[in-house]
Amino acid sequence: MVDRANRPQAINAPGAAAPGPSVDISAGGGRVAARLPSGDSVDILLYGATVVSWKSNGGDTENLWLSEKAALDGSKAVRGGVPVVFPVFGPPPPNHGTSSLPQHGFARTSRWEFLGKSTSEDAEDPLSVKLDFGLYSSNLSEEARKAWPYHFGLVYSVTLGKDSLQTVMNVRNEGSDVFEFQMLLHTYLRVKDISTTTIAGLHGVTYKDKVLNSTTAAETHHALSIDGEVDRVYASIPQRTTTVLEAGSPRFDVVRDNLDDTVVWNPWAEKAASMGDFAPKDGFKHMLCVEVGAVNGWQKLEPGDVFEGGQIIKSLL
Ligand code: BG6
């Protein structure tokens, strides 16, 4: 049996009259939405616990890119928003505990439970709402359970603040066997124009270039621009913050917490054209994936142990 002793409690039960942020749950819709009095909002599918919309700036600015052809009906992983990658990043390697899993694992294609919400008021972020989602080995499809037969509990917390979104993953080994995993938060940031978008905070960091046969190199740019397909795994990054700039002005700060790696991905024209769920086809001009994670090697979790890692994204408009 899965031990849910640490399952977060719903401080304000859904639907209860609570001052401050209001949380709407669309019954049967498989979604959880929260909106702060400031107008900031977040919308999350139970399928994959995928954040599909995050608006800030009084609710006027959508910060995430979501494909017009993204499947939102649970038939396949969502193309856009913030899919959760677990327990393997990319195609699984041969002869590993994850070898029978599909690319990026099962978390993004499993239905999570909504565990509840809590609100907080503190000096730094006057009003925020935290939404917790759970995925346990017992919720997995038979196929996924067979492919990765470990007992685990995942709690994914999404906290909406004024002009910020925090997403944190907690992984617990609930079984008696050690397991190894990778995890990553595959955030599709919405940008105005990729040709004037740059990334700071990666200078000097060694990366694996998946476009160039996984060769490694050290980043030479203080402000990295994107002018073609990019698919790079930056590993063991010393700076906690990666900044995305638009026309030289900071647009997003992506702050890692206990996650050392970041993938930068943009499929560009040809790859976008080959993806059936990528629309519009020139959408690559308006998105940039900055994906924080633990993907360089493996996290080993002993029975009873817990790993926690996440990010805070700040919208800097
Ligand atoms: C990125 C990978 O994280 O995800 C890319 O580095 C991959 O190699 C991309 O193409 C999208 O993956 P998927 O499975 O959602 O098409």
Side-chain angles (χ1 to χ4, degrees):
M1 274 300 283
V2 174
D3 171 16
R4 298 198 188 169
N6 290 297
R7 176 181 168 138
Q9 297 298 308
I11 291 177
N12 292 316
S22 63
V23 174
D24 305 314
I25 300 164
S26 30
R31 277 174 185 250
V32 179
R35 189 182 157 92
L36 299 179
S38 58
D40 295 68
S41 67
V42 68
D43 198 346
I44 301 146
L45 296 184
L46 293 183
Y47 183 73
T50 315
V51 179
V52 288
S53 168
W54 164 40
K55 290 183 184 164
S56 62
N57 193 25
D60 289 344
T61 305
E62 175 58 69
N63 295 309
L64 300 177
W65 185 85
L66 179 66
S67 166
E68 288 170 7
K69 285 201 180 154
L72 302 177
D73 61 355
S75 58
K76 74 183 291 227
V78 176
R79 178 68 63 206
V82 189
V84 175
V85 169
F86 177 90
V88 63
F89 164 70
N95 308 317
H96 187 262
T98 57
S99 293
S100 307
L101 290 171
Q103 155 132 322
H104 293 341
F106 51 71
R108 64 177 182 164
T109 53
S110 297
R111 189 178 166 105
W112 293 56
E113 285 178 40
F114 178 48
L115 302 177
K117 67 163 180 164
S118 52
T119 56
S120 76
E121 289 187 48
D122 64 46
E124 237 179 72
D125 193 351
L127 210 45
S128 64
V129 60
K130 178 164 162 282
L131 305 166
D132 288 321
F133 300 86
L135 180 68
Y136 309 93
S137 13
S138 54
N139 305 135
L140 288 189
S141 68
E142 180 123 6
E143 199 188 352
R145 217 173 332 168
K146 251 196 219 151
W148 206 66
Y150 297 100
H151 292 282
F152 67 88
L154 301 182
V155 175
Y156 183 54
S157 302
V158 176
T159 304
L160 174 69
K162 191 173 173 324
D163 300 323
S164 76
L165 185 76
Q166 180 175 30
T167 65
V168 177
M169 173 82 106
N170 179 294
V171 184
R172 176 185 290 267
N173 186 343
E174 310 269 9
S176 46
D177 294 321
V178 178
F179 62 70
E180 289 189 323
F181 71 94
Q182 296 175 323
M183 64 145 287
L184 170 130
L185 304 170
H186 198 307
T187 309
Y188 288 72
L189 295 172
R190 176 179 283 275
V191 295
K192 274 202 191 100
D193 178 357
I194 195 72
S195 71
T196 57
T197 301
T198 51
I199 307 169
L202 298 173
H203 180 252
V205 178
T206 300
Y207 63 90
K208 189 166 80 174
D209 195 332
K210 290 169 81 176
V211 174
L212 293 176
N213 283 328
S214 292
T215 46
T216 55
E219 183 54 66
T220 54
H221 298 92
H222 285 281
L224 170 68
S225 48
I226 311 290
D227 53 12
E229 182 186 354
V230 60
D231 190 357
R232 296 179 177 180
V233 183
Y234 289 86
S236 308
I237 309 169
Q239 305 92 318
R240 275 187 68 198
T241 302
T242 304
T243 303
V244 173
L245 301 96
E246 287 185 337
S249 300
R251 172 67 184 89
F252 297 106
D253 270 349
V254 180
V255 186
R256 282 174 290 106
D257 192 6
N258 198 33
L259 295 175
D260 288 344
D261 313 319
T262 295
V263 175
V264 175
W265 182 62
N266 183 301
W268 216 250
E270 207 177 312
K271 229 205 190 121
S274 73
M275 286 187 276
D277 61 353
F278 195 101
K281 285 302 169 200
D282 68 353
F284 69 91
K285 294 178 182 167
H286 305 292
M287 51 79 56
L288 176 66
C289 286
V290 176
E291 314 162 20
V292 303
V295 295
N296 183 32
W298 299 90
Q299 302 297 316
K300 198 171 186 169
L301 214 54
E302 300 286 338
D305 278 2
V306 171
F307 170 94
E308 191 165 85
Q311 65 178 348
I312 300 179
I313 313 174
K314 297 177 189 164
S315 171
L316 303 172
L317 281 182

